[in-house]
Amino acid sequence: TQIVPGETTAQVLYSDLPMLGTLLFGNRRTGRPIDHSIGGFDVFEALAPPDGATSFADASVAGSVVTDAFGQFYLSRRMAQHVDLAADGSANILIRGGMPMQLRMTDRGGTPLMFDGTGIFTGEMIQRETVQFYPGEHIRQSMPRPFFNSLCGGCHGSISDRELDVATDIDILTRASPGILARDEAPVDAR
């Protein structure tokens, strides 16, 4: 991560979004079944309730109040941009620094992907929590598949779910970034 003073945008390089998707929707120490139908993603800005809202009734005017098994919550999003993935699953985006955002997985044609109903989530494959990046932040998110087991598998489980596949590779830090296709591309403007 690098912070460039004076910049108002943040730049995020996703090294392997389908690999990251296995963590966004199931961060348990199990196998990492990669969804090969992920061909892009939509960037959403998560919007705050209106100023002065003191109840869910007040908030429902500007957005949606959703009720689930855990109670009520406010939900309002603005679609910022659709981003196609490079052939290796990477993408490079530029966002407004500090923007609370969520990602929704899509196929190569931009159609939102749905959960298959066998896991804990149903409906669209959209990130359940928001993330933010500082103004001026330049960051890399996720780890390319060939290196995931060596660096991340110890905590998150190997891609194959085999313990023998979790092993440290001392060359991981010198070889992880050069092959990422989106690294040298101009970022997609998702402000």
Side-chain angles (χ1 to χ4, degrees):
T1 299
Q2 173 188 8
I3 304 291
V4 179
E7 284 190 5
T8 59
T9 59
Q11 188 172 342
V12 185
L13 174 64
Y14 293 100
S15 303
D16 187 337
L17 195 75
M19 184 74 245
L20 179 62
T22 70
L23 297 168
L24 293 178
F25 306 122
N27 193 5
R28 298 176 306 277
R29 195 176 192 288
T30 61
R32 306 265 126 232
I34 296 168
D35 187 339
H36 297 285
S37 63
I38 297 173
F41 60 98
D42 295 327
V43 178
F44 284 92
E45 178 179 10
L47 303 173
D51 289 342
T54 59
S55 68
F56 284 113
D58 294 341
S60 66
V61 173
S64 179
V65 174
V66 179
T67 302
D68 66 11
F70 301 100
Q72 292 183 307
F73 63 95
Y74 175 78
L75 175 67
S76 184
R77 299 183 186 111
R78 176 189 71 83
M79 170 108 158
Q81 183 68 291
H82 172 76
V83 180
D84 292 321
L85 297 181
D88 64 350
S90 64
N92 194 2
I93 66 169
L94 186 70
I95 59 169
R96 195 176 71 253
M99 178 178 88
M101 62 180 243
Q102 295 171 289
L103 305 179
R104 177 175 66 185
M105 304 299 117
T106 70
D107 64 15
R108 284 170 180 58
T111 302
L113 295 174
M114 305 296 279
F115 289 107
D116 65 9
T118 61
I120 58 173
F121 294 120
T122 59
E124 292 182 337
M125 291 178 74
I126 190 164
Q127 193 174 2
R128 295 312 200 248
E129 66 282 333
T130 60
V131 294
Q132 291 177 288
F133 299 97
Y134 291 107
E137 187 170 5
H138 292 231
I139 188 167
R140 294 179 183 185
Q141 292 282 285
S142 72
M143 179 60 61
R145 265 167 255 189
F147 305 108
F148 184 86
N149 289 346
S150 299
L151 191 61
C152 307
C155 293
H156 298 290
S158 70
I159 293 171
S160 66
D161 201 22
R162 290 173 20 111
E163 280 301 312
L164 294 175
D165 291 341
V166 176
T168 302
D169 179 351
I170 59 170
D171 292 328
I172 189 95
L173 298 176
T174 60
R175 294 183 300 157
S177 295
I180 299 169
L181 295 176
R183 184 183 75 163
D184 298 321
E185 298 292 323
V188 174
D189 192 336
R191 291 178 277 177

